[in-house]
Amino acid sequence: RYWNSLSNLVASLLNSVRSIASLLLLLFLFIIIFSLLGMQLFGGKFNFDEMQTRRSTFDNFPQSLLTVFQILTGEDWNSVMYDGIMAYGGPSFPGMLVCIYFIILFICGNYILLNVFLAIAVDNLADAESLTSAQKEEEEEKERKKLARTASPEKKQEMEKTAVEEETKEEKIELKSITADGESPPATKINVDDYQPNESEEKSPYPTTEAPAEEDEEEPEMPVGPRPRPMSELHLKEKAVPMPDASAFFIFSPNNRFRVHCHRIVNDNIFTNLILFFILLSSISLAAEDPVRHLSFRNQILGNADYVFTSIFTLEIILKMTAYGAFLHKGSFCRNYFNILDLLVVSVSLISFGIQSSAINVVKILRVLRVLRPLRAINRAKGLKHVVQCVFVAIRTIGNIVIVTTLLQFMFACIGVQLFKGKLYSCTDSSKQTEAECRGYYITYKDGEVSQPMIQPRSWENSKFDFDNVLTAMMALFTVSTFEGWPELLYRSIDSHMEDVGPIYNHRVEISIFFIIYIIIIAFFMMNIFVGFVIVTFQEQGEQEYKNCELDKNQRQCVEYALKARPLRRYIPKNQYQYKVWYVVNSTYFEYLMFVLILLNTICLAMQHYGQSCMFKEAMNILNMLFTGLFTVEMVLKLIAFKPK
């Protein structure tokens, strides 16, 4: 209630119950239809191997429902399909037709129907985020009103002055025109206050370009061409980080020649690319080390190279600390998280030189983290920058979804403890039901062969994943949410009887409802919330660029389409003989003919199989050469009609 973003998320999830209920009804009807169809096709036919007991069958309606639901989750569905193929005689003509049932069930259910949960999740998250942002705006407005009420008259005048100054700054318009020849003249800055035309004068839509701009270097490079590009295609120059006003190491002032020279070296592109090259070489040297023979000749060479790389990286950090300072003032070296990572990696490398213990040598792998330094290139690639911002924002704000999912997980874990605590134990000898009986030895047969008896000791064992306490129950349910091996735990729970008593086959089939509800809520819906949150975050980060734009998304797309629009051009040869070939190649009949030839060639390729006769193989080779010749003629005709360039 008091956590706005969390309460908004929960409210949006509760509001989506209606749409989820409709989807669940459709999913239930889908499962019922395919369960009934599976009973008609495979009922009682999975008994071709009497030595093996199969749980995923279609022998009755409840079991058929569970099998179809298992196929929807994608866990071990191929083994069910193989059993269906073997039930109809194996991988031959009648048996292979069974694949159609399973493929349709998997595609329509898993790829289409279950992805509707993702669409609902995206819609709910968008509502929650918009509600949270609206509440934040309301709180900011309330704070501004409070400040305005409590401020003195002198402060109010100062605030009004600052507001007027901000408005005048916003009124400065930067315009850049492009001539008809494609050359871009220097940009101009026009102050609206300085340029006030008379009412009698005609307003020109084009600015004058007499005065050069004072900050020409800050202007983005417009692509040369007769038509302007949209803003998303502009490539901005990478600006050098300015030197802080404070002194470095209490020695070098901002005007010190040595410090200015260090700042120039650090921001030089050659220096940056050289450091990235050495980072790549150091990563390769780490990968080339022999972890078994530490004193090998290769490791000795790589160790000497490691001294060189570490010295270069240490020199880089010293130059940057000299240029920007260590950590005391704003804008210093250690105020950047990436710089702290670099300092940590180099420090670990320096420490590892003095301590040669095998445990400490493991931390040398941290130097590979310097490969993250090329992420500075995201400032040059706008799309990559949006992706990285989206990832960081999603990681920072994904805590609400984690909290809701953990609470639901805890709730289901508590229910699971009540249902299955102490009931998943079993004896290795299935004929014994209690721990007191599960003693001594029993006879088993290797691979089901009666001629190979084996004597094994009886042992009372628990399931790999159990519900004996809340923590183990949460771990068991988490594995269920990943769909990995969950049918084994499902049937183990169905066979559960009483505490400290062994399993009974299909004793509680109705208990499967617990797992079905858990999978629908957690795996189908809440796990898709994570994906939906990344999608919504990416969309919001893309819209942040245009937050001050008066045009909406559709209007911007119309403007960009108008800027990118080109007239449709078609090549028509002037030579009369070339024109005849061009006319034939562009005709509809020629296209249909080539389509039929491609289709026939595909059929010939699909007819090849194992164990084909020599006569059939020769016929296929002749047809292959024939089709190759026809396609070569097509290529020659198109080269004549359209020319190589």
Side-chain angles (χ1 to χ4, degrees):
R1 182 178 300 176
Y2 300 104
W3 194 341
N4 289 332
S5 56
L6 182 62
S7 61
N8 292 334
L9 176 62
V10 175
S12 63
L13 294 177
L14 293 177
N15 291 332
S16 62
V17 170
R18 183 178 300 174
S19 57
I20 293 176
S22 303
L23 177 60
L24 289 178
L25 179 60
L26 179 61
L27 182 65
F28 184 64
L29 293 175
F30 181 83
I31 293 174
I32 287 177
I33 291 172
F34 275 89
S35 299
L36 295 174
L37 183 59
M39 289 174 61
Q40 298 295 324
L41 293 175
F42 309 108
K45 294 184 179 180
F46 280 12
N47 56 357
F48 46 84
D49 188 2
E50 296 181 356
M51 298 299 298
Q52 186 179 1
T53 303
R54 287 173 174 80
R55 304 301 299 264
S56 301
T57 62
F58 295 87
D59 295 343
N60 51 64
F61 184 66
Q63 185 60 53
S64 181
L65 285 175
L66 289 177
T67 304
V68 172
F69 190 77
Q70 175 188 340
I71 294 172
L72 285 181
T73 61
E75 173 58 25
D76 209 19
W77 74 275
N78 53 334
S79 63
V80 183
M81 183 178 68
Y82 296 150
D83 291 340
I85 292 173
M86 295 302 297
Y88 278 87
S92 57
F93 169 66
M96 292 305 293
L97 293 178
V98 173
C99 298
I100 300 174
Y101 168 83
F102 292 97
I103 290 173
I104 293 175
L105 171 60
F106 192 80
I107 290 176
C108 296
N110 198 313
Y111 290 161
I112 299 176
L113 198 58
L114 294 186
N115 280 328
V116 180
F117 284 97
L118 179 60
I120 295 174
V122 172
D123 190 18
N124 295 332
L125 284 173
D127 294 341
E129 290 297 320
S130 61
L131 185 60
T132 304
S133 60
Q135 289 180 351
K136 287 182 179 178
E137 290 178 359
E138 289 180 359
E139 291 178 358
E140 289 177 357
E141 288 182 0
K142 289 180 180 178
E143 290 180 357
R144 289 175 185 172
K145 290 179 180 178
K146 288 181 180 178
L147 291 174
R149 290 173 184 174
T150 56
S152 59
E154 296 178 356
K155 291 183 178 180
K156 286 183 179 180
Q157 292 177 0
E158 291 179 359
M159 291 172 63
E160 290 176 358
K161 288 181 181 180
T162 54
V164 171
E165 289 177 358
E166 289 178 357
E167 289 178 0
T168 54
K169 287 180 181 178
E170 290 177 357
E171 286 179 350
K172 290 185 178 181
I173 303 170
E174 295 186 7
L175 297 173
K176 191 165 185 180
S177 61
I178 297 178
T179 58
D181 298 330
E183 299 177 354
S184 57
T188 59
K189 285 187 178 179
I190 301 172
N191 198 323
V192 178
D193 294 334
D194 299 334
Y195 180 72
Q196 294 291 341
N198 297 328
E199 295 180 357
S200 59
E201 293 180 359
E202 295 182 359
K203 296 182 180 180
S204 175
Y206 302 100
T208 58
T209 59
E210 294 177 0
E214 295 178 358
E215 300 176 356
D216 197 13
E217 295 179 356
E218 297 181 0
E219 290 294 325
E221 293 182 357
M222 282 290 283
V224 177
R227 189 183 298 273
R229 302 280 184 88
M231 291 296 295
S232 58
E233 296 183 11
L234 293 180
H235 300 284
L236 299 177
K237 291 183 178 179
E238 188 177 5
K239 298 180 181 178
V241 180
M243 186 189 304
D245 294 334
S247 62
F249 300 113
F250 304 103
I251 301 173
F252 304 106
S253 63
N255 298 325
N256 187 278
R257 290 185 178 181
F258 179 71
R259 186 180 180 186
V260 172
H261 189 61
C262 291
H263 183 266
R264 192 177 302 162
I265 292 174
V266 165
N267 288 283
D268 191 78
N269 288 331
I270 298 175
F271 179 81
T272 304
N273 295 331
L274 190 64
I275 292 298
L276 293 178
F277 175 71
F278 281 116
I279 291 171
L280 180 62
L281 289 181
S282 64
S283 303
I284 294 173
S285 67
L286 282 173
E289 287 183 357
D290 190 352
V292 179
R293 295 173 295 177
H294 298 286
L295 300 177
S296 62
F297 179 71
R298 182 176 62 181
N299 281 6
Q300 291 178 3
I301 295 176
L302 294 175
N304 295 329
D306 198 14
Y307 284 109
V308 177
F309 294 140
T310 306
S311 302
I312 293 172
F313 298 147
T314 306
L315 178 63
E316 176 203 5
I317 289 180
I318 292 173
L319 289 174
K320 287 191 173 182
M321 282 190 171
T322 306
Y324 298 108
F327 56 86
L328 290 179
H329 53 269
K330 187 177 180 181
S332 58
F333 180 81
C334 293
R335 296 293 181 95
N336 192 330
Y337 293 111
F338 284 100
N339 294 338
I340 294 176
L341 176 64
D342 292 340
L343 184 61
L344 174 65
V345 170
V346 175
S347 301
V348 168
S349 302
L350 292 172
I351 294 171
S352 63
F353 289 151
I355 305 174
Q356 296 298 327
S357 174
S358 59
I360 298 297
N361 280 334
V362 176
V363 297
K364 292 171 67 177
I365 300 174
L366 289 173
R367 284 180 295 168
V368 181
L369 295 175
R370 291 181 62 87
V371 180
L372 296 175
R373 289 287 298 280
L375 287 177
R376 289 183 299 175
I378 63 176
N379 292 324
R380 300 176 184 176
K382 208 168 192 179
L384 182 60
K385 186 176 182 180
H386 288 162
V387 172
V388 174
Q389 288 177 348
C390 164
V391 171
F392 280 109
V393 172
I395 292 174
R396 189 174 66 249
T397 56
I398 209 169
N400 295 334
I401 303 173
V402 173
I403 291 172
V404 175
T405 307
T406 306
L407 290 175
L408 291 173
Q409 193 96 351
F410 177 78
M411 182 186 71
F412 278 99
C414 293
I415 298 173
V417 170
Q418 299 297 321
L419 293 175
F420 307 112
K421 60 179 178 179
K423 297 181 181 180
L424 300 183
Y425 285 89
S426 63
C427 184
T428 52
D429 184 3
S430 58
S431 62
K432 306 301 179 182
Q433 289 292 317
T434 62
E435 186 178 3
E437 297 176 353
C438 189
R439 294 177 181 178
Y441 297 87
Y442 72 105
I443 299 176
T444 183
Y445 301 96
K446 185 178 180 180
D447 298 331
E449 295 290 336
V450 183
S451 59
Q452 297 180 358
M454 297 175 60
I455 298 177
Q456 298 286 342
R458 294 190 181 99
S459 61
W460 186 252
E461 297 177 352
N462 196 1
S463 176
K464 295 178 181 178
F465 296 98
D466 57 78
F467 293 85
D468 292 347
N469 54 68
V470 174
L471 293 179
T472 57
M474 291 182 70
M475 187 63 203
L477 290 175
F478 181 75
T479 58
V480 172
S481 66
T482 61
F483 300 144
E484 191 61 36
W486 78 272
E488 180 182 356
L489 183 60
L490 167 69
Y491 291 116
R492 192 73 178 260
S493 304
I494 289 175
D495 297 342
S496 62
H497 181 211
M498 297 172 62
E499 292 185 15
D500 299 325
V501 178
I504 299 176
Y505 184 79
N506 277 355
H507 179 67
R508 298 191 296 174
V509 180
E510 65 277 2
I511 211 69
S512 59
I513 298 175
F514 169 78
F515 290 93
I516 293 175
I517 294 175
Y518 172 80
I519 288 175
I520 289 175
I521 294 177
I522 300 295
F524 288 169
F525 186 68
M526 291 306 299
M527 291 302 173
N528 280 325
I529 289 285
F530 287 91
V531 182
F533 191 83
V534 174
I535 295 173
V536 171
T537 307
F538 186 82
Q539 293 175 348
E540 288 182 352
Q541 291 297 316
E543 291 295 323
Q544 286 294 323
E545 181 185 359
Y546 305 102
K547 63 180 180 180
N548 295 325
C549 183
E550 296 181 356
L551 303 178
D552 59 12
K553 187 175 182 180
N554 293 330
Q555 292 171 339
R556 292 197 305 269
Q557 289 178 351
C558 291
V559 172
E560 289 193 3
Y561 175 77
L563 293 174
K564 292 180 180 179
R566 295 287 190 278
L568 183 63
R569 299 177 64 184
R570 191 172 186 181
Y571 172 76
I572 300 177
K574 296 181 179 180
N575 190 316
Q576 58 178 349
Y577 301 104
Q578 186 183 0
Y579 176 78
K580 291 180 181 179
V581 178
W582 175 85
Y583 184 79
V584 172
V585 168
N586 280 288
S587 63
T588 308
Y589 298 105
F590 183 81
E591 295 293 334
Y592 286 154
L593 176 63
M594 297 313 302
F595 175 75
V596 171
L597 291 177
I598 292 171
L599 187 61
L600 292 175
N601 188 18
T602 306
I603 293 173
C604 291
L605 291 173
M607 289 174 64
Q608 298 185 16
H609 57 277
Y610 173 73
Q612 58 190 12
S613 62
C614 295
M615 188 175 184
F616 182 84
K617 187 175 181 180
E618 290 178 359
M620 289 294 104
N621 290 335
I622 293 171
L623 288 175
N624 188 21
M625 290 187 290
L626 177 62
F627 285 121
T628 304
L630 292 173
F631 294 145
T632 306
V633 172
E634 178 201 10
M635 181 188 69
V636 172
L637 290 176
K638 288 190 174 182
L639 284 174
I640 295 172
F642 298 105
K643 293 183 180 182
K645 293 184 180 180

